[in-house]
Amino acid sequence: MVATRQSRSAPERPPSRRKRPLTRRQQENRAGLAYLSPTLIVVLVVVVLPIIWTIMLAFQRIRLINVRRAGVFGQYTLANLELVLTSPGFWSSLWTTLVYTIGATVLSILFGLIAALALRAPFRGRTFVRAAVLLPYVAPVVAVTFVWEILLSPQFGMVNNWGTRFFGWDRAIAFLSQREYSMSLFGWQVDVPMALLTVIAFEAWRYFPFAFLFLLARLQAVPRELEEAALVDGAAPTQTFRHILLPQLGAVIALLSVLRFIMTFNKFDDIYLLTGGGAGTEVVSIRVYEYLTARFDIGAAAAQALVLAAGLIVLLIIYLRFLAPRVEDEGE
Amino acid sequence: MDRATFETKLFRVLRWVVIAALIVVTLFPFYYMLLLSLRPIDEVLQNPGRIWAGPAEWTVQTYKQVLTSADEGGQGFLRFLTNSAIVSVAATILTLLVSIPGAYAVTRLRFVGRRQVHFLFLAVYLFPSILLAIPLFVLFTRLGLRGSLAGLTIVYIAQTVPVSIYMLRNYLSTIPVSLEEAAAVDGYSRLQTIRKVVLPLAAPAVMANALYIFMIAWNEFLFALLFLVEDRNDWTVSLGLAQLSGGIEVSKTVLMAGSVVLTLPIVALFFAAERLLTEGLTAGADKG
């Protein structure tokens, strides 16, 4: 019925540039929007509107008590941004976020690549190993952070117990609650940001399966002939990797870098559950949470979150412009 | 021995070293979790370095405490499990109902704003969920949805729909259009075509997708913490476990039993479906 109505009204419309029949085109347009409308509604209500609202909140002095009165026509001010940017520890937390994000992204992709290369060729039990490798990624955060906490605990953790018993550590290391750990390395005294490194290691452990999945899929699509030809030419495995496999993987690695960077930059629960943001692991998203739940300062929390998002967008633009020409080939 | 032979031999050995290391690194924490949940707490405190305990030493006391309801002095995880299951199943079904037509539209239909849609989806991931949490907290408080499982489900749908559409789109674009045209010639309407032609063909992708959404919803912590923390009856397993750890009187072995209870369903589901999925997806790949 819809189709007939459309065909009658069709001649009155301006002619389309394409040669396809207008009615079908319009019907398709309508169906497309209709099919997508539930998605659009959900994303608009639960994602886009809140973002716009946050931007408005960030420029108003609002606390939890007076949030009910807050509207579109509130008093706009830059006080929140000023408060956030000048508050003690802001820049260091931004720096922590950056170190954490880059460290976790690089390590997770590196480990994912090593795992993918090792599990590439078939062997007995590969299916099982492949499934096992994915476990850290599919298991619930809350459960895995608790196991890590207990494993690394200075009082009853297995790691410290074994460390002092078998590896000659002179004392237990508080992996998750020690800001600096001075270590002597070849006679040099080095201060290591212990908690931050542990959190990065956790993140690399939890997300290397993600990189592994992508890289393994890509590796398996590399044509065999390429490697066989290299083999005939007497190329060593490292040479084959460098000159044949790596170029094939470039696009996936670039994509993974962007994805992992975005996800880790915004990460909240992993650090919150492991250290609560203490011992030099206070990333920006933890600060947002603190503003929100400890000080009930919605305005400042929103401003802080906005700074985080802005920082991410700037970094992404820099990355896409200057560092990753390959990503553009991937896009449609 | 030239470089190629040397490296080939070296990597043949290294490969097994890596595989062994991978198994230990990924499986050991889970094994340790299970082991600790079965050992009595005083024994754990005396011998923290032991990584084996025979069945004779096992205790199921921890599980009893975790699973019995709060009224009877336990932690009431059965209740939390039910809540998690409700939210995750609802989020999975509803997300698929929303994303399947959406993915079909993005793959097959040309409509105004088709290209711009991607920017909208990007917004979901570009902004930290903690940023969304602030207005959603206020909005849901006003609507009376905060502290309800329905509110949480809505958030999960919004968080998973974009990825779901991407995953499905990749798969749908491999299905030949001619099949759908043939269905149209046979007089199928578009919805009938989706239900009877496209969906059966895309079944593996839909399954993988469902698993993914379920996993996200089951594991999610931040929004559960923000929305449900006030009423113990609404807690999900993740939230219940996190709250449990805050109490000093709860022993670590009980905490590990809770972790096992939280992890087991997702791991069981994953292993069951992984097999199903890889059999479907890699059937042709091994013959290459």
Side-chain angles (χ1 to χ4, degrees):
Chain A
M1 212 178 84
V2 180
T4 49
R5 206 178 335 122
Q6 274 183 346
S7 63
R8 224 178 290 138
S9 64
E12 293 154 25
R13 309 246 168 161
S16 164
R17 249 168 285 160
R18 301 239 178 152
K19 279 179 192 142
R20 294 181 69 92
L22 194 64
T23 52
R24 210 178 138 189
R25 190 67 207 267
Q26 274 185 330
Q27 198 201 355
E28 204 176 307
N29 183 27
R30 218 172 266 193
L33 288 174
Y35 286 5
L36 201 62
S37 56
T39 307
L40 291 178
I41 290 168
V42 173
V43 173
L44 276 178
V45 172
V46 187
V47 179
V48 177
L49 280 181
I51 289 173
I52 296 170
W53 199 355
T54 310
I55 296 173
M56 285 176 2
L57 288 173
F59 295 100
Q60 300 177 46
R61 284 304 296 154
I62 292 173
R63 307 183 75 85
L64 198 60
I65 319 147
N66 55 12
V67 74
R68 281 175 184 280
R69 284 190 280 113
V72 187
F73 306 105
Q75 291 239 301
Y76 286 88
T77 164
L78 290 174
N80 289 322
L81 273 182
E82 199 187 323
L83 181 89
V84 162
L85 293 177
T86 58
S87 68
F90 167 73
W91 293 105
S92 76
S93 97
L94 204 60
W95 176 244
T96 309
T97 312
L98 206 59
V99 172
Y100 167 67
T101 308
I102 293 176
T105 303
V106 170
L107 284 182
S108 67
I109 294 177
L110 185 69
F111 292 158
L113 181 61
I114 293 172
L117 287 171
L119 295 187
R120 191 177 167 217
F123 58 91
R124 189 180 288 271
R126 184 171 77 143
T127 317
F128 171 75
V129 178
R130 193 170 46 192
V133 166
L134 293 178
L135 267 186
Y137 178 63
V138 298
V141 217
V142 182
V144 288
T145 48
F146 283 167
V147 181
W148 271 62
E149 257 177 66
I150 290 182
L151 271 171
L152 298 175
S153 152
Q155 291 96 39
F156 44 83
M158 200 211 86
V159 173
N160 273 308
N161 184 276
W162 282 37
T164 42
R165 253 167 62 196
F166 303 126
F167 303 114
W169 299 356
D170 42 5
R171 64 199 149 98
I173 300 172
F175 285 99
L176 289 166
S177 50
Q178 197 161 19
R179 184 185 292 266
E180 299 287 336
Y181 179 78
S182 30
M183 217 158 57
S184 59
L185 203 69
F186 309 114
W188 290 68
Q189 283 291 320
V190 193
D191 274 349
V192 183
M194 203 65 214
L196 185 59
L197 286 182
T198 312
V199 173
I200 290 174
F202 173 81
E203 204 63 12
W205 176 78
R206 187 160 174 239
Y207 285 103
F208 89 87
F210 182 81
F212 161 78
L213 263 186
F214 276 69
L215 289 166
L216 187 67
R218 186 67 193 86
L219 269 179
Q220 270 165 348
V222 174
R224 296 251 156 215
E225 295 81 35
L226 283 177
E227 277 175 274
E228 276 160 16
L231 197 67
V232 171
D233 288 345
T238 44
Q239 288 169 319
T240 317
F241 174 74
R242 170 70 191 82
H243 297 286
I244 293 175
L245 291 181
L246 205 56
Q248 298 267 344
L249 293 175
V252 183
I253 292 177
L255 179 70
L256 274 172
S257 310
V258 175
L259 284 179
R260 285 298 348 133
F261 192 92
I262 296 175
M263 307 265 184
T264 320
F265 200 77
N266 290 331
K267 201 90 205 153
F268 167 79
D269 20 10
D270 301 40
I271 291 193
Y272 176 77
L273 288 164
L274 278 176
T275 67
T281 59
E282 193 187 44
V283 292
V284 179
S285 60
I286 299 268
R287 278 173 78 87
V288 178
Y289 181 80
E290 295 283 307
Y291 274 118
L292 192 64
T293 57
R295 304 193 201 175
F296 303 113
D297 194 338
I298 293 186
Q304 179 85 77
L306 216 57
V307 171
L308 184 67
L312 180 61
I313 291 169
V314 169
L315 289 170
L316 276 183
I317 289 173
I318 294 174
Y319 178 82
L320 293 176
R321 268 284 150 79
F322 302 107
L323 298 170
R326 283 178 153 277
V327 174
E328 281 154 33
D329 311 313
E330 278 283 284
E332 303 150 85
Chain B
M1 191 157 57
D2 68 335
R3 181 178 166 188
T5 348
F6 170 73
E7 278 189 11
T8 310
K9 281 188 177 156
L10 177 72
F11 282 110
R12 199 173 290 152
V13 178
L14 270 184
R15 178 164 167 252
W16 289 105
V17 175
V18 170
I19 290 172
L22 277 176
I23 293 175
V24 171
V25 163
T26 53
L27 285 185
F28 183 75
F30 296 95
Y31 166 75
Y32 191 72
M33 184 197 287
L34 189 66
L35 180 75
L36 226 55
S37 74
L38 291 170
R39 286 168 64 191
I41 180 70
D42 37 333
E43 202 273 321
V44 171
L45 293 177
Q46 272 166 22
N47 295 312
R50 279 182 66 191
I51 55 165
W52 173 249
E57 298 171 53
W58 291 353
T59 167
V60 287
Q61 204 51 45
T62 47
Y63 287 93
K64 217 176 262 174
Q65 201 195 330
V66 159
L67 291 175
T68 44
S69 69
D71 303 332
E72 291 161 40
Q75 298 297 342
F77 265 53
L78 274 182
R79 171 90 207 203
F80 304 159
L81 279 168
T82 323
N83 287 339
S84 277
I86 292 172
V87 172
S88 310
V89 170
T92 308
I93 293 172
L94 291 173
T95 304
L96 285 177
L97 278 181
V98 168
S99 66
I100 289 173
Y104 182 82
V106 175
T107 323
R108 285 282 194 268
L109 306 173
R110 279 159 308 161
F111 53 89
V112 182
R114 180 182 171 187
R115 289 193 163 273
Q116 284 73 26
V117 162
H118 300 295
F119 291 106
L120 198 63
F121 291 168
L122 200 63
V124 179
Y125 298 101
L126 218 50
F127 291 90
S129 41
I130 188 89
L131 183 144
L132 303 180
I134 303 163
L136 285 178
F137 187 85
V138 178
L139 181 72
F140 280 24
T141 312
R142 284 195 191 175
L143 293 175
L145 276 172
R146 189 162 66 86
S148 77
L149 297 179
L152 197 63
T153 309
I154 294 174
V155 176
Y156 292 168
I157 297 171
Q159 295 275 309
T160 47
V161 150
V163 185
S164 176
I165 287 187
Y166 268 107
M167 284 169 73
L168 286 174
R169 191 193 65 163
N170 285 343
Y171 199 89
L172 287 184
S173 57
T174 62
I175 297 175
V177 190
S178 54
L179 282 176
E180 286 168 50
E181 284 165 356
V185 170
D186 285 351
Y188 276 20
S189 74
R190 193 169 274 135
L191 271 178
Q192 278 176 317
T193 314
I194 293 182
R195 216 178 62 221
K196 293 184 179 157
V197 179
V198 178
L199 267 190
L201 286 169
V206 174
M207 276 287 297
N209 219 304
L211 187 71
Y212 179 80
I213 301 163
F214 186 89
M215 186 189 98
I216 298 275
W218 182 272
N219 295 350
E220 207 279 337
F221 172 66
L222 171 63
F223 284 107
L225 174 69
L226 282 166
F227 291 173
L228 302 179
V229 79
E230 278 152 28
D231 187 355
R232 195 190 166 100
N233 282 326
D234 289 332
W235 289 358
T236 58
V237 196
S238 283
L239 179 58
L241 189 60
Q243 295 299 107
L244 188 68
S245 78
I248 317 158
E249 70 279 10
V250 177
S251 78
K252 297 295 170 193
T253 50
V254 173
L255 209 59
M256 285 297 96
S259 298
V260 173
V261 169
L262 169 62
T263 313
L264 207 58
I266 208 79
V267 169
L269 197 68
F270 171 73
F271 269 89
E274 214 269 348
R275 186 153 193 182
L276 215 146
L277 292 174
T278 41
E279 271 172 16
L281 294 176
T282 60
D286 288 345
K287 288 171 197 132

